[in-house]
Amino acid sequence: MVNTKVELCGITLDNPVIAASGTFGYGYEFAEIYDINCLGTFSFKGTTFEPRFGNPTPRIAEANAGMLNAVGLQNPGVERVIAEELPKLARVFHKPVMANVSGFSVEEYAEVCRRLDGEAQIGWLEVNISCPNVHGGGMSFGTDPKLAAEVTRTVKAVTTKPVIMKLSPNAADIAEVAKACEEAGADAISLINTLLGMRIDLAKRRPVLANTTGGLSGPAVFPVALRMVWQTSHAVSIPVIGIGGVSSAEDVIEMMLAGATAVEVGAANLVRPTACRDIIDALPATMARYNIDSLSEITGGAKEWEKM
Amino acid sequence: MKESVFTVTYNAAIAENTFRLRLEGDTGAVEKPGQFVNISVENGFLRRPISVCDRDERSLTLIYRAVGRGTRWLSERHAGDALDLLTGLGNGFDLTTAGEKPLLLGGGVGTAPLFWLARRLCAAGAEPFAALGFRTGAEVFYEEEFRALGCRVAIATEDGSRGTKGFVTDIMPEAYSEVFACGPLPMLRAVSHELRTGAQFSLEERMGCGFGACMGCTCETKAGAKRVCKDGPVFRREELPW
């Protein structure tokens, strides 16, 4: 009998599979087709203080082995998330859930976190300082180590819940940003958010996305994400959650060997609604194939080639 | 929503760049005209959303235009090939307010979901009028099929190569009960300005997932942001800001 349990900031997950924010709503669309309590947990849709429509459409584009999105943090705002979405979420998901938080100022991050801090079902706050699709917020906090540290410190001061800083691959050196967050008190790091990209419609000779650019996700980004998990996990001692193109049990194991404590599954949910369940179902046999008894023991288990 | 594998039984062009696909499989989740399916294509990451043109206990009929890589791949499938579908997506049309003389307005491939709707309306004793607009005569499809159901049919083409030269707004009858429209956004807006009755509009938007998870296909309504794929694709005229 293999053991798929892992621990994330003091909370035990039945398995390391976390459905990623922005690809899983508040869970109930997926609960229509499978019991989402099989998940380690999920990170619900990014929450800001005010309601947001997001960017103009079209805001989705196809890419080779992936997709671009420029949704731009559409959400009903923190008050309605608490009043309307969380009670509905609680009916279909009975484990601690991860709250994804975004903002346009340090104060906004703090205010949203302060309000979510009182919600019992929320196990972790995942603070998104890496959204590439909004101006004057999001990613601008995640590409500058000083600003990232400032958001971390401010958020930590208003919550007792573990704080996970979600980082951008669009930073010059993601490990430096991670170190700044760790020093400012972050309990964990999650990475990567999407990579800034673009497509052009040949017939119309204009960008496919109304926002011109969008974030690339899906299997195309997996090697990039894996490399950044590797670099970041070597630079910090707090847990790292690996995100980016994960679509199979093998990908989960590869991310963990690179240094991830847990793994988020994003774009795969959008094309195969049962993706997370399928990955979780495949974990025991895949672990057996690679002689893994306990998943929590393989984090960072990949060793560098010896120098000749 | 249901994910299941269907088998192609027929797939051929019925008009310029326009294909009819018949699939056999579990159609149980497909409940209402106006709903759509989301098809996995081998050469693309995202599924391709296509409205249901007709349905029975064992099969679905879909009509689609081959406009990009994914739909071109789809147009090359043969009888016996398997396709992975998400079915039962979207809210569909509400037939209960249709009245005796519903007016169906189709623009291009947007005509497709109106066929199953027309069949249901005819079966319920209504006398639908189908006003169908296309860019050019070569793209016209299902004129005879709508007539065979018992609908009155009028055709408009932008270049006048078939039917009346102009748009669906040029071939609307004087009197009708409720309007059901599916087509490009400019057509739906133009239609909305012509109407004095209730109407249901099926909107089209670039989708990510097709089942309400990604917030990719959001539209503005009087009641705030709605997801075209999950809260729609059918919206009542009074819900829309235009």
Coordinates of all heavy atoms in Angstrom, one line a residue, chain A residues 166-224:
Chain A
K166 N 2.3 33.2 -4.7 CA 2.3 32.7 -6.1 C 3.1 33.6 -7.0 O 2.7 34.7 -7.2 CB 0.8 32.5 -6.6 CG 0.8 31.8 -8.0 CD -0.6 31.4 -8.3 CE -0.7 30.7 -9.7 NZ -2.0 30.3 -10.1
L167 N 4.1 33.0 -7.6 CA 5.1 33.8 -8.3 C 5.0 33.7 -9.8 O 4.5 32.8 -10.3 CB 6.5 33.4 -7.9 CG 6.8 33.5 -6.4 CD1 8.3 33.3 -6.1 CD2 6.4 34.8 -5.8
S168 N 5.6 34.8 -10.4 CA 5.5 34.9 -11.9 C 6.8 34.4 -12.5 O 7.9 34.8 -12.1 CB 5.3 36.3 -12.2 OG 5.4 36.5 -13.6
P169 N 6.6 33.6 -13.6 CA 7.8 33.2 -14.4 C 8.4 34.4 -15.2 O 9.4 34.3 -15.8 CB 7.3 32.1 -15.3 CG 5.9 32.5 -15.6 CD 5.4 33.2 -14.3
N170 N 7.6 35.5 -15.2 CA 8.1 36.7 -16.0 C 9.0 37.6 -15.2 O 9.5 38.6 -15.7 CB 6.8 37.4 -16.5 CG 5.9 36.5 -17.3 OD1 6.2 35.9 -18.2 ND2 4.7 36.4 -16.8
A171 N 9.4 37.1 -14.0 CA 10.4 37.9 -13.2 C 11.8 37.6 -13.8 O 12.0 36.5 -14.4 CB 10.4 37.4 -11.8
A172 N 12.7 38.5 -13.6 CA 14.1 38.3 -14.1 C 14.7 37.1 -13.5 O 15.4 36.3 -14.1 CB 14.9 39.6 -13.9
D173 N 14.5 36.9 -12.2 CA 15.1 35.8 -11.4 C 14.1 35.4 -10.4 O 14.0 36.0 -9.3 CB 16.4 36.2 -10.8 CG 17.1 35.0 -10.1 OD1 16.4 34.0 -9.9 OD2 18.3 35.2 -9.8
I174 N 13.3 34.4 -10.7 CA 12.2 33.9 -9.8 C 12.7 33.5 -8.5 O 12.0 33.7 -7.4 CB 11.3 32.9 -10.5 CG1 10.0 32.7 -9.9 CG2 12.1 31.5 -10.6 CD1 9.0 31.9 -10.7
A175 N 13.9 32.9 -8.4 CA 14.5 32.4 -7.1 C 14.7 33.6 -6.2 O 14.6 33.5 -5.0 CB 15.7 31.6 -7.4
E176 N 15.1 34.7 -6.8 CA 15.4 35.9 -6.0 C 14.1 36.4 -5.3 O 14.1 36.9 -4.2 CB 16.0 37.1 -6.8 CG 17.5 36.9 -7.1 CD 18.3 36.7 -5.8 OE1 18.2 37.5 -4.9 OE2 19.1 35.7 -5.7
V177 N 13.0 36.4 -6.1 CA 11.7 36.9 -5.6 C 11.3 35.9 -4.5 O 10.8 36.3 -3.5 CB 10.6 36.9 -6.8 CG1 9.3 37.4 -6.2 CG2 11.1 37.8 -7.9
A178 N 11.5 34.6 -4.7 CA 11.1 33.6 -3.7 C 11.8 33.8 -2.4 O 11.3 33.8 -1.3 CB 11.4 32.2 -4.3
K179 N 13.1 34.1 -2.5 CA 14.0 34.3 -1.3 C 13.4 35.6 -0.6 O 13.4 35.6 0.7 CB 15.4 34.5 -1.7 CG 16.2 33.2 -1.8 CD 17.7 33.4 -1.8 CE 18.2 33.8 -3.1 NZ 19.7 33.8 -3.1
A180 N 13.1 36.6 -1.3 CA 12.6 37.8 -0.7 C 11.3 37.6 0.1 O 11.0 38.0 1.2 CB 12.4 38.9 -1.8
C181 N 10.4 36.7 -0.5 CA 9.2 36.3 0.1 C 9.4 35.5 1.4 O 8.8 35.7 2.4 CB 8.3 35.6 -0.9 SG 7.6 36.5 -2.2
E182 N 10.4 34.6 1.3 CA 10.7 33.8 2.4 C 11.2 34.6 3.6 O 10.8 34.5 4.7 CB 11.8 32.7 2.1 CG 12.2 31.8 3.2 CD 13.2 30.8 2.8 OE1 14.1 31.1 2.1 OE2 13.2 29.6 3.3
E183 N 12.1 35.5 3.3 CA 12.6 36.4 4.3 C 11.5 37.3 4.9 O 11.6 37.7 6.1 CB 13.8 37.3 3.7 CG 15.1 36.5 3.6 CD 16.0 37.2 2.6 OE1 15.9 38.4 2.4 OE2 16.9 36.5 2.1
A184 N 10.5 37.6 4.1 CA 9.4 38.5 4.6 C 8.4 37.7 5.4 O 7.4 38.2 5.8 CB 8.8 39.2 3.5
G185 N 8.6 36.3 5.5 CA 7.7 35.5 6.3 C 6.8 34.6 5.6 O 5.9 34.0 6.2
A186 N 6.9 34.5 4.3 CA 6.0 33.5 3.5 C 6.1 32.1 4.1 O 7.2 31.7 4.5 CB 6.3 33.6 2.1
D187 N 5.0 31.4 4.1 CA 5.0 30.0 4.6 C 5.3 29.0 3.5 O 5.7 27.9 3.7 CB 3.7 29.7 5.3 CG 3.4 30.6 6.5 OD1 4.1 30.3 7.5 OD2 2.6 31.5 6.3
A188 N 5.0 29.4 2.2 CA 5.3 28.6 1.1 C 5.3 29.4 -0.2 O 4.9 30.6 -0.1 CB 4.2 27.5 1.0
I189 N 5.8 28.8 -1.3 CA 5.8 29.5 -2.6 C 5.1 28.6 -3.5 O 5.2 27.4 -3.5 CB 7.3 29.6 -3.0 CG1 8.2 30.5 -2.1 CG2 7.4 30.2 -4.5 CD1 7.8 31.9 -2.0
S190 N 4.3 29.2 -4.4 CA 3.7 28.4 -5.5 C 4.2 29.1 -6.8 O 4.2 30.3 -6.9 CB 2.2 28.3 -5.4 OG 1.6 29.5 -5.5
L191 N 4.5 28.2 -7.8 CA 5.0 28.7 -9.1 C 4.8 27.6 -10.1 O 5.0 26.4 -9.7 CB 6.4 29.3 -9.0 CG 7.5 28.2 -8.7 CD1 8.6 28.4 -9.8 CD2 8.1 28.4 -7.3
I192 N 4.5 28.0 -11.4 CA 4.5 29.3 -11.9 C 3.1 29.7 -12.3 O 2.3 28.9 -12.6 CB 5.4 29.4 -13.2 CG1 5.0 28.4 -14.3 CG2 6.9 29.2 -12.9 CD1 5.7 28.5 -15.6
N193 N 2.9 31.0 -12.3 CA 1.7 31.6 -13.0 C 2.0 31.5 -14.5 O 3.0 30.9 -14.9 CB 1.5 33.0 -12.5 CG 0.0 33.4 -12.7 OD1 -0.6 33.1 -13.7 ND2 -0.6 34.1 -11.7
T194 N 1.2 32.0 -15.3 CA 1.3 31.9 -16.8 C 2.5 32.7 -17.3 O 2.9 33.7 -16.7 CB 0.0 32.2 -17.5 OG1 -0.3 33.6 -17.1 CG2 -1.1 31.3 -17.2
L195 N 3.0 32.3 -18.5 CA 4.0 33.0 -19.2 C 3.4 33.9 -20.2 O 2.5 33.5 -20.9 CB 4.9 32.0 -19.9 CG 6.0 31.3 -19.1 CD1 6.3 29.9 -19.8 CD2 7.3 32.1 -19.1
L196 N 3.8 35.2 -20.2 CA 3.3 36.2 -21.1 C 3.5 35.8 -22.6 O 4.6 35.5 -23.0 CB 3.9 37.5 -20.8 CG 3.1 38.8 -21.2 CD1 1.7 38.7 -20.6 CD2 3.8 40.0 -20.7
G197 N 2.4 35.7 -23.3 CA 2.4 35.3 -24.7 C 1.5 36.1 -25.6 O 0.8 37.0 -25.1
M198 N 1.4 35.7 -26.9 CA 0.5 36.4 -27.8 C 0.3 35.5 -29.0 O 1.1 34.7 -29.4 CB 1.3 37.7 -28.2 CG 0.7 38.5 -29.3 SD 1.6 40.1 -29.5 CE 0.7 40.7 -30.9
R199 N -0.9 35.7 -29.7 CA -1.1 35.1 -31.0 C -1.7 36.1 -31.9 O -2.3 37.1 -31.4 CB -2.2 33.9 -30.9 CG -1.7 32.7 -30.1 CD -0.5 32.0 -30.6 NE -0.6 31.5 -32.0 CZ -1.2 30.4 -32.4 NH1 -1.7 29.6 -31.6 NH2 -1.1 30.1 -33.7
I200 N -1.5 35.9 -33.2 CA -2.1 36.9 -34.2 C -3.0 36.1 -35.2 O -2.6 35.0 -35.6 CB -1.0 37.6 -35.0 CG1 -0.3 38.6 -34.1 CG2 -1.6 38.3 -36.2 CD1 1.0 39.2 -34.7
D201 N -4.2 36.6 -35.4 CA -5.1 36.0 -36.4 C -4.7 36.4 -37.8 O -4.6 37.6 -38.1 CB -6.5 36.6 -36.1 CG -7.6 36.0 -37.0 OD1 -7.3 35.8 -38.2 OD2 -8.7 35.7 -36.5
L202 N -4.3 35.4 -38.6 CA -3.7 35.7 -39.9 C -4.7 36.4 -40.8 O -4.3 37.3 -41.6 CB -3.2 34.4 -40.5 CG -2.1 33.6 -39.8 CD1 -1.6 32.5 -40.7 CD2 -1.0 34.5 -39.3
A203 N -5.9 35.9 -40.8 CA -6.9 36.5 -41.7 C -7.3 37.9 -41.3 O -7.4 38.8 -42.2 CB -8.2 35.6 -41.7
K204 N -7.4 38.2 -40.1 CA -7.7 39.5 -39.6 C -6.5 40.4 -39.4 O -6.7 41.7 -39.2 CB -8.6 39.5 -38.4 CG -9.9 38.8 -38.6 CD -10.7 38.6 -37.3 CE -12.1 37.9 -37.6 NZ -12.7 37.3 -36.5
R205 N -5.4 39.9 -39.3 CA -4.1 40.6 -39.1 C -4.2 41.5 -37.8 O -3.9 42.7 -37.8 CB -3.7 41.5 -40.3 CG -3.5 40.6 -41.5 CD -2.8 41.4 -42.6 NE -2.6 40.5 -43.8 CZ -1.8 40.8 -44.8 NH1 -1.2 41.9 -44.8 NH2 -1.7 40.0 -45.8
R206 N -4.7 40.8 -36.8 CA -4.7 41.5 -35.5 C -4.5 40.5 -34.4 O -4.8 39.3 -34.7 CB -5.9 42.4 -35.3 CG -7.2 41.5 -35.1 CD -8.4 42.4 -34.9 NE -9.5 41.5 -34.6 CZ -10.8 41.8 -34.9 NH1 -11.1 42.9 -35.5 NH2 -11.7 40.9 -34.7
P207 N -4.2 40.9 -33.2 CA -4.0 39.9 -32.1 C -5.3 39.1 -31.9 O -6.4 39.7 -32.0 CB -3.7 40.7 -30.9 CG -3.1 42.0 -31.5 CD -3.8 42.2 -32.7
V208 N -5.2 37.8 -31.6 CA -6.4 37.0 -31.3 C -7.1 37.5 -30.1 O -8.3 37.6 -30.0 CB -6.0 35.5 -31.1 CG1 -7.2 34.7 -30.7 CG2 -5.4 35.0 -32.4
L209 N -6.3 37.9 -29.1 CA -6.8 38.4 -27.8 C -7.1 39.9 -27.9 O -6.3 40.6 -28.3 CB -5.9 38.1 -26.7 CG -5.5 36.6 -26.4 CD1 -4.4 36.5 -25.4 CD2 -6.8 35.9 -25.8
A210 N -8.3 40.3 -27.4 CA -8.6 41.7 -27.3 C -7.6 42.4 -26.4 O -7.4 43.6 -26.6 CB -10.0 41.9 -26.8
N211 N -7.0 41.7 -25.5 CA -6.0 42.3 -24.6 C -4.6 42.3 -25.2 O -3.7 42.7 -24.5 CB -6.0 41.5 -23.3 CG -5.2 42.1 -22.2 OD1 -5.4 43.3 -21.8 ND2 -4.3 41.3 -21.6
T212 N -4.5 41.9 -26.5 CA -3.3 41.7 -27.2 C -2.4 40.6 -26.6 O -2.1 39.7 -27.4 CB -2.4 43.0 -27.2 OG1 -3.2 44.1 -27.8 CG2 -1.2 42.8 -28.1
T213 N -2.1 40.6 -25.4 CA -1.3 39.6 -24.8 C -2.1 38.8 -23.8 O -3.1 39.2 -23.3 CB 0.0 40.1 -24.1 OG1 -0.4 41.0 -23.1 CG2 0.9 40.9 -25.1
G214 N -1.6 37.6 -23.4 CA -2.2 36.8 -22.4 C -1.2 35.8 -21.8 O -0.1 35.8 -22.2
G215 N -1.7 35.0 -20.9 CA -0.8 34.1 -20.2 C -0.9 32.7 -20.8 O -1.9 32.1 -20.9
L216 N 0.3 32.1 -21.1 CA 0.4 30.8 -21.7 C 0.4 29.8 -20.5 O 1.2 29.9 -19.6 CB 1.7 30.7 -22.5 CG 2.0 29.3 -23.1 CD1 0.9 28.9 -24.2 CD2 3.4 29.3 -23.7
S217 N -0.4 28.7 -20.7 CA -0.4 27.6 -19.7 C -0.6 26.3 -20.5 O -0.8 26.3 -21.7 CB -1.5 27.8 -18.7 OG -2.8 27.8 -19.4
G218 N -0.6 25.2 -19.8 CA -0.7 23.9 -20.5 C 0.6 23.2 -20.6 O 1.6 23.7 -20.2
P219 N 0.6 22.0 -21.2 CA 1.8 21.2 -21.3 C 3.0 21.9 -21.9 O 4.1 21.6 -21.5 CB 1.4 20.0 -22.2 CG -0.1 19.9 -22.0 CD -0.6 21.3 -21.7
A220 N 2.8 22.9 -22.7 CA 3.9 23.6 -23.3 C 4.8 24.3 -22.3 O 6.0 24.4 -22.5 CB 3.3 24.7 -24.3
V221 N 4.2 24.6 -21.1 CA 5.1 25.4 -20.1 C 5.7 24.4 -19.1 O 6.5 24.9 -18.2 CB 4.3 26.5 -19.4 CG1 3.6 27.4 -20.4 CG2 3.3 25.9 -18.4
F222 N 5.4 23.1 -19.1 CA 5.8 22.2 -18.1 C 7.3 22.2 -17.9 O 7.8 22.4 -16.7 CB 5.3 20.8 -18.4 CG 5.8 19.8 -17.3 CD1 5.1 19.7 -16.1 CD2 6.8 18.9 -17.6 CE1 5.5 18.8 -15.1 CE2 7.2 18.0 -16.6 CZ 6.6 17.9 -15.4
P223 N 8.1 22.1 -18.9 CA 9.6 22.1 -18.7 C 10.1 23.4 -18.1 O 11.0 23.4 -17.3 CB 10.2 21.9 -20.1 CG 9.1 21.3 -20.9 CD 7.8 21.9 -20.3
V224 N 9.5 24.5 -18.4 CA 9.9 25.9 -17.9 C 9.5 25.9 -16.4 O 10.3 26.3 -15.5 CB 9.2 27.0 -18.6 CG1 9.5 28.3 -18.0 CG2 9.5 27.0 -20.1

